[in-house]
Coordinates of all heavy atoms in Angstrom, one line a residue:
M1 N 7.5 11.4 -17.1 CA 7.8 11.5 -15.7 C 8.1 10.1 -15.1 O 7.4 9.1 -15.5 CB 6.6 12.1 -15.0 CG 6.9 12.6 -13.6 SD 5.4 13.1 -12.7 CE 4.9 14.5 -13.6
E2 N 9.0 10.0 -14.1 CA 9.3 8.7 -13.5 C 8.1 8.2 -12.8 O 7.3 9.0 -12.2 CB 10.4 8.9 -12.4 CG 11.8 9.1 -12.9 CD 12.7 9.4 -11.8 OE1 12.7 8.7 -10.8 OE2 13.4 10.5 -11.9
P3 N 7.9 6.9 -12.8 CA 6.7 6.3 -12.2 C 6.6 6.7 -10.7 O 5.5 7.1 -10.2 CB 6.9 4.8 -12.3 CG 7.8 4.7 -13.5 CD 8.6 5.9 -13.6
D4 N 7.7 6.8 -10.0 CA 7.7 7.2 -8.6 C 7.2 8.6 -8.4 O 6.4 8.8 -7.4 CB 9.1 7.1 -8.0 CG 9.3 5.8 -7.2 OD1 8.3 5.1 -7.1 OD2 10.4 5.6 -6.7
K5 N 7.6 9.5 -9.3 CA 7.2 10.9 -9.2 C 5.7 11.0 -9.5 O 5.0 11.7 -8.9 CB 8.0 11.8 -10.1 CG 9.4 12.1 -9.6 CD 10.0 13.2 -10.3 CE 11.4 13.5 -9.7 NZ 12.3 13.8 -10.8
Q6 N 5.3 10.2 -10.5 CA 3.9 10.2 -10.8 C 3.0 9.8 -9.6 O 2.0 10.4 -9.3 CB 3.6 9.1 -11.9 CG 3.6 9.8 -13.3 CD 3.5 8.7 -14.4 OE1 2.9 7.6 -14.1 NE2 4.0 8.9 -15.5
I7 N 3.4 8.7 -9.0 CA 2.7 8.2 -7.8 C 2.6 9.3 -6.7 O 1.6 9.6 -6.2 CB 3.3 6.9 -7.3 CG1 3.1 5.8 -8.3 CG2 2.6 6.5 -6.0 CD1 3.9 4.5 -8.0
A8 N 3.8 9.9 -6.4 CA 3.9 10.9 -5.4 C 3.0 12.1 -5.7 O 2.2 12.6 -4.9 CB 5.3 11.4 -5.2
N9 N 3.0 12.5 -7.0 CA 2.2 13.7 -7.4 C 0.7 13.3 -7.3 O -0.1 14.1 -6.8 CB 2.5 14.1 -8.8 CG 3.9 14.9 -8.8 OD1 4.4 15.3 -7.8 ND2 4.4 15.1 -10.0
T10 N 0.4 12.2 -7.8 CA -1.0 11.8 -7.7 C -1.5 11.7 -6.3 O -2.6 12.2 -6.0 CB -1.2 10.4 -8.4 OG1 -0.6 10.5 -9.7 CG2 -2.7 10.0 -8.5
L11 N -0.7 11.2 -5.4 CA -1.2 11.0 -4.0 C -1.2 12.4 -3.4 O -2.1 12.7 -2.5 CB -0.2 10.1 -3.2 CG -0.4 8.6 -3.6 CD1 0.7 7.8 -2.9 CD2 -1.8 8.1 -3.2
K12 N -0.3 13.3 -3.7 CA -0.3 14.7 -3.1 C -1.5 15.4 -3.6 O -2.2 16.0 -2.8 CB 1.0 15.4 -3.6 CG 1.5 16.4 -2.5 CD 2.6 17.3 -3.1 CE 3.9 16.6 -3.1 NZ 5.0 17.4 -3.7
I13 N -1.8 15.4 -4.9 CA -3.0 16.1 -5.4 C -4.3 15.6 -4.7 O -5.1 16.3 -4.4 CB -3.1 15.9 -7.0 CG1 -1.9 16.6 -7.6 CG2 -4.4 16.4 -7.5 CD1 -1.7 16.2 -9.1
H14 N -4.3 14.2 -4.6 CA -5.5 13.6 -4.1 C -5.5 13.3 -2.6 O -6.2 12.5 -2.1 CB -5.9 12.4 -4.8 CG -6.1 12.6 -6.3 ND1 -7.3 13.2 -6.7 CD2 -5.4 12.4 -7.4 CE1 -7.2 13.3 -8.0 NE2 -6.1 12.8 -8.5
Q15 N -4.5 14.0 -1.9 CA -4.2 13.7 -0.5 C -5.5 13.6 0.3 O -5.7 12.7 1.1 CB -3.3 14.7 0.2 CG -2.5 14.1 1.3 CD -1.3 15.0 1.6 OE1 -1.3 16.2 1.3 NE2 -0.3 14.4 2.2
H16 N -6.4 14.6 0.1 CA -7.6 14.6 0.9 C -8.8 13.9 0.2 O -9.9 13.8 0.7 CB -8.0 16.1 1.2 CG -6.9 16.7 2.0 ND1 -6.6 16.4 3.3 CD2 -6.1 17.7 1.6 CE1 -5.6 17.1 3.7 NE2 -5.2 17.9 2.7
H17 N -8.5 13.4 -1.0 CA -9.6 12.8 -1.8 C -9.2 11.3 -2.1 O -9.8 10.7 -3.0 CB -10.0 13.5 -3.0 CG -10.2 15.0 -2.8 ND1 -11.4 15.4 -2.2 CD2 -9.5 16.1 -3.0 CE1 -11.4 16.7 -2.1 NE2 -10.2 17.1 -2.6
Q18 N -8.0 10.9 -1.6 CA -7.5 9.6 -1.9 C -8.5 8.5 -1.5 O -8.9 8.4 -0.4 CB -6.2 9.4 -1.1 CG -5.6 8.0 -1.2 CD -5.1 7.6 -2.6 OE1 -4.7 8.4 -3.3 NE2 -5.3 6.3 -2.9
P19 N -9.0 7.8 -2.5 CA -9.9 6.7 -2.2 C -9.3 5.6 -1.3 O -8.1 5.4 -1.5 CB -10.4 6.2 -3.5 CG -9.4 6.6 -4.5 CD -8.6 7.8 -3.9
P20 N -10.0 5.0 -0.5 CA -9.4 3.9 0.3 C -8.9 2.8 -0.7 O -9.4 2.7 -1.8 CB -10.6 3.4 1.1 CG -11.6 4.5 1.1 CD -11.4 5.2 -0.1
V21 N -8.0 2.0 -0.3 CA -7.4 1.0 -1.1 C -7.7 -0.4 -0.6 O -7.8 -0.6 0.6 CB -5.9 1.2 -1.4 CG1 -5.6 2.5 -2.1 CG2 -5.1 1.0 -0.1
Q22 N -7.8 -1.3 -1.5 CA -8.0 -2.7 -1.2 C -7.3 -3.5 -2.3 O -7.4 -3.2 -3.5 CB -9.5 -3.0 -1.2 CG -9.8 -4.5 -0.8 CD -11.3 -4.8 -0.8 OE1 -12.0 -4.3 -1.7 NE2 -11.8 -5.6 0.1
V23 N -6.6 -4.6 -1.9 CA -5.8 -5.4 -2.8 C -6.1 -6.8 -2.6 O -6.0 -7.4 -1.5 CB -4.3 -5.2 -2.7 CG1 -3.5 -5.9 -3.8 CG2 -4.0 -3.7 -2.6
G24 N -6.6 -7.5 -3.7 CA -6.8 -8.9 -3.7 C -7.5 -9.5 -2.4 O -7.0 -10.4 -1.8
G25 N -8.6 -8.9 -2.1 CA -9.4 -9.4 -1.0 C -8.9 -9.0 0.4 O -9.3 -9.5 1.4
S26 N -8.0 -8.0 0.4 CA -7.5 -7.5 1.7 C -8.6 -6.6 2.4 O -9.6 -6.3 1.7 CB -6.2 -6.6 1.5 OG -6.6 -5.4 0.9
P27 N -8.3 -6.3 3.7 CA -9.2 -5.3 4.3 C -9.1 -4.0 3.5 O -8.2 -3.8 2.7 CB -8.7 -5.1 5.7 CG -7.9 -6.4 5.9 CD -7.3 -6.8 4.6
I28 N -10.0 -3.0 3.8 CA -9.9 -1.7 3.1 C -9.1 -0.7 4.0 O -9.4 -0.7 5.2 CB -11.3 -1.1 2.8 CG1 -12.1 -2.2 2.0 CG2 -11.3 0.2 2.2 CD1 -13.6 -1.9 1.9
Y29 N -8.1 0.0 3.4 CA -7.3 0.9 4.1 C -7.4 2.3 3.6 O -7.4 2.5 2.4 CB -5.8 0.4 4.0 CG -5.6 -0.9 4.6 CD1 -5.4 -2.0 3.8 CD2 -5.5 -1.1 6.0 CE1 -5.2 -3.3 4.3 CE2 -5.2 -2.4 6.5 CZ -5.1 -3.5 5.6 OH -4.8 -4.7 6.1
K30 N -7.3 3.3 4.5 CA -7.2 4.7 4.2 C -5.7 5.0 4.1 O -4.9 4.5 4.9 CB -7.8 5.5 5.4 CG -8.1 6.9 5.1 CD -9.1 7.5 6.1 CE -8.7 7.4 7.5 NZ -8.3 8.6 8.2
V31 N -5.3 5.8 3.1 CA -3.9 6.1 2.9 C -3.5 7.3 3.7 O -4.2 8.4 3.6 CB -3.6 6.4 1.4 CG1 -2.1 6.6 1.2 CG2 -4.1 5.2 0.6
E32 N -2.5 7.2 4.6 CA -2.0 8.3 5.4 C -0.6 8.7 5.0 O -0.2 8.6 3.9 CB -2.2 7.9 6.9 CG -3.6 7.7 7.2 CD -3.9 7.6 8.7 OE1 -3.0 7.4 9.5 OE2 -5.1 7.7 9.1
R33 N 0.2 9.1 6.0 CA 1.5 9.7 5.6 C 2.5 8.7 5.0 O 2.4 7.5 5.1 CB 2.2 10.3 6.9 CG 2.7 9.3 7.9 CD 3.3 9.9 9.1 NE 4.0 8.9 9.9 CZ 3.4 7.9 10.6 NH1 2.1 7.9 10.7 NH2 4.2 7.0 11.2
K34 N 3.5 9.3 4.2 CA 4.5 8.5 3.6 C 5.5 8.1 4.5 O 6.0 8.8 5.4 CB 5.2 9.4 2.5 CG 6.2 8.7 1.6 CD 6.6 9.5 0.5 CE 7.8 8.9 -0.2 NZ 8.3 9.7 -1.3
L35 N 5.9 6.8 4.4 CA 7.0 6.2 5.3 C 8.3 6.2 4.7 O 9.3 6.3 5.3 CB 6.6 4.8 5.7 CG 5.4 4.7 6.7 CD1 5.0 3.2 6.8 CD2 5.7 5.2 8.0
G36 N 8.3 5.9 3.4 CA 9.6 5.8 2.7 C 9.5 5.3 1.3 O 8.4 5.2 0.7
K37 N 10.6 5.0 0.7 CA 10.7 4.7 -0.7 C 11.6 3.5 -0.9 O 12.7 3.5 -0.3 CB 11.2 5.9 -1.5 CG 11.2 5.7 -3.0 CD 11.7 7.0 -3.6 CE 12.1 6.8 -5.0 NZ 12.7 8.0 -5.6
G38 N 11.2 2.5 -1.7 CA 12.1 1.3 -1.9 C 12.3 1.1 -3.4 O 12.0 2.0 -4.2
G39 N 12.9 0.0 -3.7 CA 13.3 -0.3 -5.1 C 12.1 -0.4 -6.0 O 12.2 -0.1 -7.2
F40 N 11.0 -0.8 -5.5 CA 9.8 -1.1 -6.3 C 8.7 0.0 -6.2 O 7.8 0.1 -7.1 CB 9.2 -2.4 -6.0 CG 9.9 -3.6 -6.6 CD1 10.8 -4.3 -5.8 CD2 9.8 -3.9 -7.9 CE1 11.5 -5.3 -6.3 CE2 10.6 -4.9 -8.5 CZ 11.4 -5.7 -7.6
G41 N 8.8 0.8 -5.2 CA 7.7 1.8 -5.1 C 7.8 2.6 -3.7 O 8.8 2.5 -3.0
Q42 N 6.7 3.3 -3.4 CA 6.7 4.1 -2.2 C 5.7 3.5 -1.2 O 4.7 2.9 -1.6 CB 6.2 5.5 -2.6 CG 7.1 6.2 -3.6 CD 6.7 7.6 -3.9 OE1 6.5 8.4 -3.0 NE2 6.4 7.9 -5.2
V43 N 6.1 3.8 0.1 CA 5.4 3.1 1.2 C 4.7 4.2 2.0 O 5.3 5.2 2.4 CB 6.4 2.3 2.0 CG1 5.6 1.6 3.2 CG2 7.1 1.2 1.2
F44 N 3.4 3.9 2.3 CA 2.6 4.8 3.1 C 1.9 4.1 4.2 O 1.7 2.8 4.2 CB 1.4 5.4 2.2 CG 1.9 6.4 1.2 CD1 2.5 5.9 0.0 CD2 1.8 7.7 1.3 CE1 2.9 6.7 -1.0 CE2 2.3 8.6 0.4 CZ 2.8 8.1 -0.8
V45 N 1.5 4.8 5.3 CA 0.7 4.2 6.3 C -0.7 3.9 5.8 O -1.2 4.8 5.1 CB 0.6 5.1 7.6 CG1 -0.4 4.6 8.6 CG2 2.0 5.3 8.2
G46 N -1.2 2.7 6.1 CA -2.5 2.4 5.7 C -3.3 2.2 7.0 O -2.8 1.4 7.8
R47 N -4.5 2.8 7.2 CA -5.3 2.6 8.4 C -6.6 1.9 8.0 O -7.2 2.4 7.1 CB -5.5 3.9 9.1 CG -6.2 3.8 10.4 CD -6.3 5.1 11.2 NE -4.9 5.6 11.4 CZ -4.0 5.2 12.3 NH1 -4.4 4.2 13.1 NH2 -2.9 5.7 12.4
R48 N -6.9 0.8 8.7 CA -8.1 0.1 8.3 C -9.3 0.9 8.5 O -9.5 1.6 9.5 CB -8.2 -1.1 9.3 CG -8.0 -2.4 8.6 CD -8.1 -3.5 9.6 NE -9.3 -4.3 9.4 CZ -9.3 -5.6 9.3 NH1 -8.1 -6.3 9.4 NH2 -10.3 -6.3 9.1
V49 N -10.2 0.9 7.5 CA -11.4 1.6 7.5 C -12.5 0.9 8.4 O -13.2 1.5 9.2 CB -12.0 1.8 6.1 CG1 -13.3 2.5 6.1 CG2 -11.0 2.7 5.3
F50 N -12.6 -0.4 8.3 CA -13.5 -1.2 9.1 C -12.7 -2.3 9.9 O -11.8 -2.8 9.3 CB -14.5 -1.9 8.3 CG -15.2 -1.0 7.3 CD1 -15.0 -1.1 5.9 CD2 -16.2 -0.1 7.7 CE1 -15.6 -0.3 5.0 CE2 -16.9 0.7 6.8 CZ -16.6 0.6 5.5
G51 N -13.2 -2.6 11.1 CA -12.6 -3.7 11.8 C -11.2 -3.5 12.2 O -10.7 -2.4 12.3
G52 N -10.5 -4.6 12.4 CA -9.1 -4.6 12.9 C -9.0 -4.5 14.4 O -10.0 -4.3 15.1
T53 N -7.8 -4.9 14.9 CA -7.6 -4.9 16.3 C -6.4 -4.1 16.6 O -5.3 -4.3 16.0 CB -7.4 -6.4 16.8 OG1 -8.4 -7.2 16.1 CG2 -7.5 -6.5 18.3
V54 N -6.5 -3.2 17.6 CA -5.3 -2.4 18.0 C -4.3 -3.4 18.6 O -4.6 -4.4 19.2 CB -5.7 -1.4 19.1 CG1 -4.5 -0.5 19.5 CG2 -6.8 -0.6 18.6
C55 N -3.0 -3.1 18.5 CA -1.9 -3.9 19.0 C -1.8 -5.3 18.5 O -1.4 -6.3 19.2 CB -2.0 -4.0 20.6 SG -1.8 -2.4 21.3
I56 N -2.3 -5.6 17.3 CA -2.2 -6.9 16.6 C -1.4 -6.7 15.3 O -1.7 -5.8 14.6 CB -3.6 -7.5 16.4 CG1 -3.9 -8.4 17.6 CG2 -3.6 -8.2 15.2 CD1 -4.8 -9.5 17.4
S57 N -0.5 -7.6 15.1 CA 0.2 -7.6 13.8 C -0.4 -8.6 12.9 O -1.3 -9.4 13.3 CB 1.7 -7.9 14.0 OG 1.8 -9.1 14.5
G58 N -0.1 -8.5 11.6 CA -0.7 -9.5 10.6 C -2.0 -8.9 10.1 O -2.3 -7.7 10.1
P59 N -2.8 -9.8 9.5 CA -4.0 -9.4 8.8 C -5.0 -8.6 9.6 O -5.8 -7.9 9.1 CB -4.7 -10.7 8.3 CG -3.6 -11.7 8.4 CD -2.6 -11.3 9.5
G60 N -5.0 -8.7 11.0 CA -5.9 -8.0 11.8 C -5.5 -6.6 12.2 O -6.2 -5.9 12.9
A61 N -4.3 -6.2 11.8 CA -3.7 -4.9 12.2 C -4.5 -3.7 11.8 O -5.0 -3.7 10.7 CB -2.3 -4.8 11.7
M62 N -4.6 -2.7 12.7 CA -5.3 -1.5 12.3 C -4.5 -0.7 11.4 O -5.0 0.1 10.6 CB -5.5 -0.6 13.6 CG -6.5 -1.2 14.6 SD -8.1 -1.1 13.8 CE -8.4 0.6 13.7
E63 N -3.1 -0.7 11.6 CA -2.2 0.1 10.9 C -1.2 -0.8 10.1 O -0.6 -1.7 10.7 CB -1.4 1.0 11.9 CG -1.1 2.3 11.4 CD -0.4 3.1 12.4 OE1 0.7 2.7 12.9 OE2 -0.8 4.2 12.7
V64 N -1.0 -0.6 8.8 CA -0.1 -1.4 8.0 C 0.7 -0.5 7.2 O 0.5 0.7 7.1 CB -0.9 -2.4 7.1 CG1 -1.7 -3.3 7.9 CG2 -1.7 -1.6 6.1
A65 N 1.7 -1.0 6.5 CA 2.5 -0.3 5.5 C 2.0 -0.7 4.1 O 1.9 -1.9 3.8 CB 4.0 -0.7 5.6
L66 N 1.6 0.3 3.3 CA 1.1 0.1 2.0 C 2.1 0.4 1.0 O 2.6 1.6 1.0 CB -0.1 0.9 1.7 CG -1.4 0.7 2.5 CD1 -2.4 1.8 2.2 CD2 -2.0 -0.6 2.2
K67 N 2.5 -0.5 0.1 CA 3.5 -0.2 -0.9 C 2.8 0.0 -2.3 O 2.1 -0.8 -2.7 CB 4.5 -1.3 -1.0 CG 5.7 -0.9 -1.9 CD 6.6 -2.0 -2.3 CE 7.3 -2.6 -1.0 NZ 8.3 -3.6 -1.4
F68 N 3.0 1.2 -2.9 CA 2.4 1.5 -4.2 C 3.4 1.3 -5.3 O 4.5 1.9 -5.2 CB 1.9 2.9 -4.3 CG 0.7 3.2 -3.4 CD1 0.8 3.5 -2.1 CD2 -0.6 3.0 -4.0 CE1 -0.4 3.7 -1.3 CE2 -1.7 3.2 -3.3 CZ -1.6 3.6 -1.9
E69 N 3.2 0.4 -6.2 CA 4.1 0.1 -7.3 C 3.4 0.6 -8.6 O 2.2 0.4 -8.7 CB 4.4 -1.4 -7.4 CG 5.2 -1.9 -6.3 CD 5.6 -3.4 -6.5 OE1 5.9 -3.8 -7.6 OE2 5.6 -4.1 -5.5
H70 N 4.2 1.2 -9.5 CA 3.6 1.6 -10.8 C 3.3 0.3 -11.5 O 4.1 -0.6 -11.5 CB 4.6 2.5 -11.5 CG 4.0 3.2 -12.7 ND1 3.9 2.6 -13.9 CD2 3.3 4.4 -12.8 CE1 3.2 3.4 -14.7 NE2 2.9 4.5 -14.1
K71 N 2.2 0.4 -12.3 CA 1.8 -0.9 -13.0 C 2.8 -1.3 -14.0 O 2.9 -2.4 -14.5 CB 0.4 -0.7 -13.6 CG 0.3 0.4 -14.7 CD -1.1 0.5 -15.2 CE -1.2 1.6 -16.2 NZ -2.5 1.7 -16.7
N72 N 3.7 -0.3 -14.5 CA 4.8 -0.7 -15.4 C 6.1 -1.1 -14.8 O 7.0 -1.3 -15.4 CB 5.0 0.5 -16.4 CG 3.8 0.8 -17.2 OD1 3.0 0.0 -17.5 ND2 3.7 2.1 -17.6
S73 N 6.1 -1.2 -13.4 CA 7.3 -1.5 -12.7 C 7.7 -3.0 -12.9 O 6.8 -3.8 -13.3 CB 7.3 -1.2 -11.2 OG 6.7 -2.3 -10.5
K74 N 9.0 -3.3 -12.7 CA 9.4 -4.7 -12.8 C 8.6 -5.7 -12.0 O 8.3 -6.8 -12.4 CB 10.9 -4.8 -12.3 CG 11.9 -4.2 -13.2 CD 13.3 -4.3 -12.6 CE 13.4 -3.3 -11.4 NZ 14.7 -3.2 -10.8
G75 N 8.2 -5.2 -10.8 CA 7.5 -6.1 -9.9 C 6.1 -6.5 -10.4 O 5.4 -7.3 -9.9
C76 N 5.6 -5.7 -11.4 CA 4.3 -6.0 -12.0 C 4.3 -6.7 -13.3 O 3.3 -6.7 -14.0 CB 3.5 -4.7 -12.1 SG 3.3 -3.8 -10.5
S77 N 5.5 -7.2 -13.7 CA 5.6 -7.8 -15.1 C 4.6 -8.9 -15.3 O 4.1 -9.2 -16.4 CB 7.0 -8.4 -15.3 OG 7.9 -7.4 -14.9
Y78 N 4.3 -9.7 -14.2 CA 3.4 -10.8 -14.3 C 2.0 -10.5 -13.7 O 1.4 -11.4 -13.2 CB 4.0 -12.0 -13.7 CG 5.3 -12.4 -14.3 CD1 6.5 -12.0 -13.6 CD2 5.4 -13.0 -15.6 CE1 7.8 -12.3 -14.2 CE2 6.7 -13.2 -16.1 CZ 7.8 -12.9 -15.4 OH 9.1 -13.2 -16.0
G79 N 1.6 -9.2 -13.8 CA 0.3 -8.9 -13.2 C 0.5 -8.2 -11.9 O 1.6 -8.0 -11.4
P80 N -0.6 -7.8 -11.2 CA -0.5 -7.1 -10.0 C 0.2 -7.9 -8.9 O 0.1 -9.1 -8.9 CB -2.0 -6.9 -9.6 CG -2.8 -7.2 -10.8 CD -2.0 -8.1 -11.6
P81 N 1.0 -7.3 -8.1 CA 1.7 -8.0 -7.0 C 0.7 -8.7 -6.1 O -0.4 -8.2 -5.9 CB 2.5 -6.9 -6.2 CG 2.4 -5.7 -7.1 CD 1.3 -5.8 -8.0
Y82 N 1.0 -9.8 -5.5 CA 0.1 -10.5 -4.6 C 0.7 -10.7 -3.2 O 0.4 -11.6 -2.5 CB -0.3 -11.8 -5.2 CG 0.8 -12.8 -5.5 CD1 1.2 -13.8 -4.6 CD2 1.6 -12.7 -6.7 CE1 2.2 -14.6 -4.8 CE2 2.7 -13.5 -6.9 CZ 3.0 -14.5 -5.9 OH 4.1 -15.3 -6.2
E83 N 1.5 -9.7 -2.8 CA 2.1 -9.7 -1.5 C 1.1 -9.9 -0.4 O 1.4 -10.6 0.6 CB 3.0 -8.5 -1.2 CG 4.3 -8.5 -2.0 CD 5.1 -7.2 -1.7 OE1 5.3 -6.9 -0.6 OE2 5.5 -6.6 -2.7
W84 N -0.1 -9.3 -0.5 CA -1.1 -9.4 0.5 C -1.4 -10.9 0.8 O -1.4 -11.3 1.9 CB -2.4 -8.6 0.1 CG -3.6 -9.2 0.9 CD1 -4.6 -10.0 0.4 CD2 -3.9 -9.0 2.3 NE1 -5.5 -10.3 1.4 CE2 -5.0 -9.7 2.5 CE3 -3.2 -8.4 3.3 CZ2 -5.6 -9.8 3.8 CZ3 -3.8 -8.5 4.6 CH2 -5.0 -9.2 4.8
Q85 N -1.6 -11.7 -0.3 CA -2.0 -13.1 -0.1 C -0.8 -13.8 0.6 O -1.0 -14.6 1.5 CB -2.3 -13.8 -1.4 CG -3.7 -13.4 -1.9 CD -3.6 -12.3 -2.9 OE1 -2.8 -11.4 -2.8 NE2 -4.5 -12.3 -3.9
V86 N 0.4 -13.5 0.2 CA 1.6 -14.1 0.7 C 1.7 -13.8 2.2 O 1.8 -14.7 3.1 CB 2.9 -13.7 0.0 CG1 4.1 -14.2 0.7 CG2 2.9 -14.0 -1.5
Y87 N 1.6 -12.5 2.6 CA 1.7 -12.2 4.0 C 0.6 -12.8 4.8 O 0.8 -13.2 6.0 CB 1.7 -10.7 4.2 CG 3.0 -10.0 3.8 CD1 3.0 -8.9 2.9 CD2 4.2 -10.4 4.3 CE1 4.2 -8.3 2.5 CE2 5.4 -9.8 3.9 CZ 5.4 -8.8 3.0 OH 6.6 -8.2 2.6
K88 N -0.6 -12.9 4.2 CA -1.8 -13.4 4.9 C -1.4 -14.9 5.4 O -1.7 -15.3 6.5 CB -3.0 -13.4 4.0 CG -4.3 -13.8 4.6 CD -5.4 -13.7 3.7 CE -6.6 -14.3 4.2 NZ -7.7 -14.4 3.2
Y89 N -0.8 -15.7 4.5 CA -0.5 -17.0 4.8 C 0.7 -17.1 5.8 O 0.7 -17.9 6.7 CB -0.3 -17.9 3.6 CG -1.6 -18.1 2.9 CD1 -1.9 -17.5 1.6 CD2 -2.7 -18.8 3.5 CE1 -3.1 -17.6 1.0 CE2 -3.9 -18.9 2.9 CZ -4.1 -18.3 1.6 OH -5.3 -18.4 1.0
V90 N 1.7 -16.3 5.6 CA 2.9 -16.3 6.4 C 2.6 -15.9 7.8 O 3.2 -16.4 8.8 CB 4.0 -15.4 5.8 CG1 5.2 -15.2 6.7 CG2 4.5 -15.9 4.4
C91 N 1.7 -15.0 8.0 CA 1.4 -14.4 9.3 C 0.5 -15.3 10.2 O 0.3 -15.1 11.4 CB 0.7 -13.1 9.2 SG 1.9 -11.8 8.6
Y92 N -0.1 -16.4 9.6 CA -0.9 -17.3 10.5 C -0.1 -18.5 11.0 O 0.9 -18.8 10.4 CB -2.1 -17.8 9.7 CG -3.2 -16.8 9.7 CD1 -3.8 -16.3 8.5 CD2 -3.8 -16.4 10.9 CE1 -4.8 -15.4 8.6 CE2 -4.8 -15.5 11.0 CZ -5.4 -15.0 9.8 OH -6.4 -14.1 9.8
Ligands
ATP1 N1 6.4 -1.5 8.0 C1 7.1 -0.3 7.8 N2 7.2 0.5 8.8 C2 7.8 1.7 8.6 N3 8.4 2.1 7.5 C3 8.4 1.2 6.5 C4 7.7 0.0 6.6 N4 7.9 -0.7 5.4 C5 8.6 0.1 4.6 N5 8.9 1.3 5.3 C6 9.7 2.4 4.8 O1 9.7 2.4 3.3 C7 11.0 2.2 2.8 C8 10.8 1.3 1.5 O2 10.4 0.0 1.9 P1 10.5 -1.2 0.9 O3 10.0 -2.4 1.6 O4 9.8 -0.8 -0.4 O5 12.1 -1.2 0.8 P2 12.9 -2.2 -0.1 O6 13.7 -3.1 0.8 O7 13.7 -1.3 -1.1 O8 11.9 -3.1 -0.9 P3 11.7 -3.3 -2.5 O9 13.1 -3.3 -3.1 O10 11.1 -4.6 -2.5 O11 10.9 -2.2 -3.0 C9 11.8 1.6 3.9 O12 13.2 1.9 3.7 C10 11.2 2.3 5.1 O13 11.7 3.6 5.3

């Protein structure tokens, strides 16, 4: 099965049991509705479980876009993506 389909199926099956996600020291996010699909993976709304500020963009945002990439995707050739750390520095 294509990695994208695997991710979509896994998330559908576990829609109500999807554990919160956290990447590389990021805040913890609950996975909500699907926003779209890109070259590397699928994008979902992520809502902060703790803290965050309404109407703020960047690391303090309550709502973010979460991109799920399959571990075998091109973007993961050198280990897990570290976009969170990149955005964290770019946004300050
Ligand atoms: N912040 C966001 N808000 C709303 N929708 C988003 C957001 N980020 C992504 N999306 C949706 O998810 C889709 C895929 O986004 P993504 O960034 O993966 O696209 P991409 O340019 O193909 O990137 P890549 O090739 O790096 O995977 C977008 O076309 C859009 O519909």
Side-chain angles (χ1 to χ4, degrees):
M1 194 189 295
E2 284 173 52
D4 259 358
K5 282 196 181 141
Q6 262 175 28
I7 293 168
N9 284 347
T10 307
L11 286 172
K12 211 189 280 173
I13 291 164
H14 297 289
Q15 207 162 23
H16 300 293
H17 308 285
Q18 169 68 33
V21 298
Q22 184 182 34
V23 187
S26 75
I28 301 170
Y29 298 103
K30 191 158 64 105
V31 183
E32 297 188 346
R33 73 180 191 284
K34 184 173 169 178
L35 289 170
K37 182 179 165 185
F40 285 100
Q42 300 186 54
V43 180
F44 291 78
V45 170
R47 187 170 302 283
R48 247 177 114 129
V49 175
F50 307 108
T53 316
V54 184
C55 298
I56 266 208
S57 59
M62 287 296 294
E63 214 180 56
V64 298
L66 295 173
K67 189 189 295 184
F68 287 88
E69 293 186 36
H70 193 273
K71 63 182 179 184
N72 295 335
S73 87
K74 286 176 289 188
C76 299
S77 309
Y78 303 101
Y82 58 97
E83 286 180 51
W84 157 254
Q85 284 95 328
V86 174
Y87 286 127
K88 189 176 167 192
Y89 290 112
V90 170
C91 290
Y92 275 122

